[in-house]
Amino acid sequence: MKYFYSDLVRDVSYLELIKEINQSKKYKFISNHSDYYLIFKDIIVSLLNDSEIVLIDSDLSKSEIYKFNISEYDLNKMIVCDFPDVIDYIDLINRIKNSKNWQMVLFTSGTTGIPKRVVHKLSNLIRMVKINEERGLDIWGFAYNPSHIAGVQVFFQALLNINHIVRLFNLPVEKIYELINKYNVTNISATPTFFRLLKNANIKFETVKRISSGGERFDNKLFNDLQRMFPNAKILNIYASTEFGTLFASKGENFVIKDEFRDKIKIYDSELFVHKSLLGILDENNLMGDWYKTGDKVEVLKENPLTIKILGRSNEFVNVGGYKVLITEVEEYINSIPGVIKSKVYSKRNSVLGSILVCEVEVNDNSLTETKIFNYLLNNLQPYKIPRIIKIVNEIETTTTGKIKR
Amino acid sequence: MFEKITEIINYIRTKQGKDVIENIKLTDNLRSDLGLDSLDLAELTVRLESEFGIDIFEDGLVETVNEIIEKLKKS
């Protein structure tokens, strides 16, 4: 029996998946389930129907969804499909690969605080997918949010090789250990934060053959820790984003740019620019001519072959455990609380999450406490966007133009 | 030290509307027994560091209350 998906409560085989698909033939247009299996099934049905699907996080609040310009009607819309029954998994994969009109909409934090819609074609999402016999035996520990590009790419890598996907994301560490061992997971792709939380000096996973990580700063210390914990694994550091998917991979913290990409990337004022031919379809806000501004500061270590190291974000984004947070968006929410005059959100290095958000708030209502502000934010923002330390201060320093000093 | 740690853990819990845990034990697991997630653990390290000057997660994972105390005592 070939398994498609497992989590803490169930195992679903490819046979069962196909049976369910043939029976229902419909999908949620805006797929925001908290159950990963339902999201994966929605994606597959949309591919078979060769029509659009939108993915958003399951934990978004109403006011956050409103910013995505999504109506209540769309949020609940089901697409009823009309395609012939799927015969077996070979037929399933062949038909998926032939979806010509299918596209997937993902959202990324925009520079203005308004989430940016990014449309991906199948060809763009599977650019880095490797399909071969050896990969057919892979068992994937799924360790990303499924509505984010990295998760979507892992999903396609696994699906197109008819692999087994085991959900590891957002579970207690001891359950993750248990699942890796129970299913003999061979591949895990995750953020550095996920691996840092998994770290344990006494545990080794012998079955894991490939580890890849990215999405925030990946340093040599993490690399060594991973090698100890996964002694049989090849470890890769990946540079990717919602706009262009996976761009490069390396065996440490430095990226050597392959010849085929050399004329598609540029470094200007220490910032990385990517040629628009590598992007998904998006609004042209971040384009400068034919070049997309990544917002990532890099250090050039060598010119030939071009070797770079990612230093971090150059603007107002902070990376909290692999999630990009636009600090001005968080400030906007805090400033909208009655009694708050102004606020300043910034990041502090953290050994668990890479960075943690800290905030200073100037108030004219003495009854406002850290707990009250935190609670307000808890109802309005996704958890990783909420500053974990909120200090009430007498005055926040501003520049002569009235901007907050950073 | 133990009292300060339990006070901080309960502060992090109650801030989110969770109950105070009256009888926190040394053997309690931070995640499974005390219900702290990765964001909570990140906050815990910051608050402990500003209290004791030590980053408990700096070199590896801390699982239980007792392991926090050991880290703080060692340094």
Side-chain angles (χ1 to χ4, degrees):
Chain A
M1 172 118 55
K2 237 179 157 16
Y3 280 104
F4 165 62
Y5 175 85
S6 295
D7 58 24
L8 281 174
V9 292
R10 75 181 136 181
D11 302 305
V12 182
S13 68
Y14 274 89
L15 210 67
E16 288 164 315
L17 167 74
I18 290 167
K19 201 172 141 198
E20 272 191 47
I21 289 172
N22 286 339
Q23 274 168 359
S24 79
K25 290 189 186 164
K26 60 181 182 223
Y27 70 95
K28 197 160 182 290
F29 177 57
I30 295 176
S31 193
N32 65 339
H33 307 279
S34 53
D35 179 343
Y36 293 10
Y37 172 64
L38 297 179
I39 298 175
F40 295 154
K41 200 172 69 174
D42 277 346
I43 298 173
I44 294 172
V45 175
S46 71
L47 281 157
L48 291 166
N49 197 49
D50 209 3
S51 54
E52 181 174 290
I53 185 165
V54 181
L55 301 190
I56 62 173
D57 292 359
S58 61
D59 62 354
L60 286 164
S61 72
K62 280 246 158 91
S63 74
E64 285 171 302
I65 291 178
Y66 178 72
K67 284 194 167 183
F68 287 57
N69 228 342
I70 289 171
S71 68
E72 195 78 31
Y73 169 78
D74 275 342
L75 197 57
N76 299 313
K77 189 161 85 180
M78 296 297 293
I79 307 286
V80 180
C81 310
D82 180 28
F83 51 78
D85 276 3
V86 177
I87 303 160
D88 53 19
Y89 60 72
I90 311 243
D91 179 41
L92 176 76
I93 302 308
N94 283 336
R95 278 159 66 176
I96 285 174
K97 284 195 215 157
N98 285 323
S99 310
K100 296 271 182 293
N101 303 310
W102 179 85
Q103 56 183 33
M104 174 180 272
V105 177
L106 300 173
F107 288 89
T108 179
S109 18
T111 41
T112 55
I114 298 158
K116 194 165 60 180
R117 225 178 108 92
V118 184
V119 185
H120 288 280
K121 293 280 182 197
L122 186 62
S123 58
N124 189 38
L125 289 172
I126 63 177
R127 186 172 61 219
M128 298 293 275
V129 168
K130 293 193 175 63
I131 305 172
N132 60 45
E133 224 171 286
E134 189 201 338
R135 293 300 182 101
L137 303 171
D138 289 348
I139 299 162
W140 278 91
F142 193 87
Y144 284 117
N145 189 323
S147 61
H148 291 204
I149 183 107
V152 171
Q153 289 189 316
V154 169
F155 168 73
F156 276 111
Q157 172 66 41
L159 178 71
L160 296 182
N161 281 290
I162 318 168
N163 294 154
H164 184 182
I165 299 172
V166 180
R167 178 201 166 148
L168 305 180
F169 195 62
N170 246 342
L171 297 177
V173 175
E174 62 273 21
K175 296 289 178 203
I176 298 175
Y177 294 156
E178 193 183 306
L179 288 166
I180 295 175
N181 287 327
K182 179 175 172 193
Y183 294 103
N184 294 320
V185 166
T186 60
N187 296 49
I188 304 175
S189 179
T191 57
T193 290
F194 180 88
F195 287 119
R196 276 195 290 265
L197 286 169
L198 207 61
K199 206 167 83 183
N200 183 321
N202 305 317
I203 295 185
K204 278 190 178 145
F205 298 100
E206 312 263 347
T207 58
V208 179
K209 303 252 182 304
R210 274 172 218 269
I211 289 288
S212 48
S213 190
E216 57 184 281
R217 234 199 106 148
F218 181 101
D219 52 31
N220 285 334
K221 182 174 185 299
L222 180 67
F223 188 83
N224 293 335
D225 288 337
L226 289 174
Q227 198 66 80
R228 199 171 43 235
M229 205 162 165
F230 304 98
N232 300 322
K234 270 191 201 155
I235 298 166
L236 274 187
N237 176 16
I238 286 180
Y239 178 77
S241 90
T242 313
E243 288 82 4
F244 42 73
T246 304
L247 207 54
F248 0 99
S250 86
K251 289 194 175 115
E253 60 182 340
N254 305 334
F255 292 101
V256 180
I257 312 304
K258 281 189 189 156
D259 281 349
E260 54 185 295
F261 283 127
R262 185 59 194 92
D263 56 349
K264 295 201 167 65
I265 81 156
K266 241 188 202 174
I267 290 148
Y268 177 73
D269 194 18
S270 306
E271 186 175 338
L272 181 67
F273 287 76
V274 174
H275 193 262
K276 68 176 184 187
S277 60
L278 294 174
L279 304 179
I281 309 157
L282 78 162
D283 68 275
E284 306 214 323
N285 281 344
N286 281 357
L287 281 183
M288 288 173 72
D290 289 342
W291 295 86
Y292 174 77
K293 197 172 157 40
T294 62
D296 285 319
K297 285 274 181 197
V298 299
E299 185 186 338
V300 176
L301 300 168
K302 211 168 132 190
E303 282 293 345
N304 204 6
L306 183 62
T307 309
I308 59 170
K309 182 164 138 186
I310 311 287
L311 300 174
R313 304 292 300 169
S314 61
N315 50 21
E316 292 169 335
F317 283 100
V318 169
N319 197 319
V320 178
Y323 289 95
K324 268 194 269 176
V325 180
L326 181 62
I327 57 177
T328 46
E329 182 198 1
V330 179
E331 286 173 355
E332 235 172 75
Y333 272 93
I334 298 173
N335 296 345
S336 71
I337 302 173
V340 169
I341 301 170
K342 58 175 178 279
S343 61
K344 174 183 172 180
V345 175
Y346 54 97
S347 71
K348 195 174 179 308
R349 260 190 81 86
N350 185 270
S351 48
V352 180
L353 293 173
S355 1
I356 184 172
L357 291 181
V358 179
C359 154
E360 291 176 6
V361 188
E362 202 180 311
V363 298
N364 59 13
D365 172 356
N366 288 334
S367 71
L368 265 183
T369 58
E370 175 171 31
T371 303
K372 278 189 187 163
I373 296 172
F374 187 85
N375 260 294
Y376 176 87
L377 298 176
L378 205 54
N379 292 323
N380 289 285
L381 285 173
Q382 286 180 283
Y384 67 89
K385 293 181 189 163
I386 304 174
R388 299 300 300 217
I389 309 284
I390 300 170
K391 297 179 209 161
I392 310 282
V393 297
N394 289 330
E395 202 189 344
I396 292 170
E397 266 194 280
T398 50
T399 63
T400 44
T401 55
K403 284 185 182 160
I404 287 170
K405 274 195 182 167
R406 302 200 188 273
Chain B
M1 187 185 277
F2 177 70
E3 267 147 39
K4 192 71 209 171
I5 296 168
T6 58
E7 184 192 316
I8 293 174
I9 290 171
N10 274 322
Y11 178 73
I12 293 171
R13 285 180 55 88
T14 51
K15 202 167 72 156
Q16 303 171 63
K18 294 178 184 164
D19 299 335
V20 169
I21 302 179
E22 299 284 358
N23 53 341
I24 291 181
K25 295 188 288 290
L26 282 172
T27 53
D28 277 349
N29 184 291
L30 299 172
R31 287 164 225 259
S32 50
D33 297 317
L34 304 178
L36 303 180
D37 65 16
S38 58
L39 290 164
D40 297 333
L41 291 175
E43 178 177 343
L44 179 67
T45 58
V46 176
R47 293 193 186 276
L48 286 172
E49 193 176 354
S50 71
E51 192 71 34
F52 299 102
I54 290 152
D55 179 352
I56 53 164
F57 277 89
E58 198 178 8
D59 43 65
L61 202 64
V62 172
E63 298 275 357
T64 63
V65 177
N66 200 28
E67 283 171 36
I68 297 181
I69 294 176
E70 278 171 24
K71 287 260 163 156
L72 294 180
K73 274 186 183 161
K74 223 185 262 174
S75 324

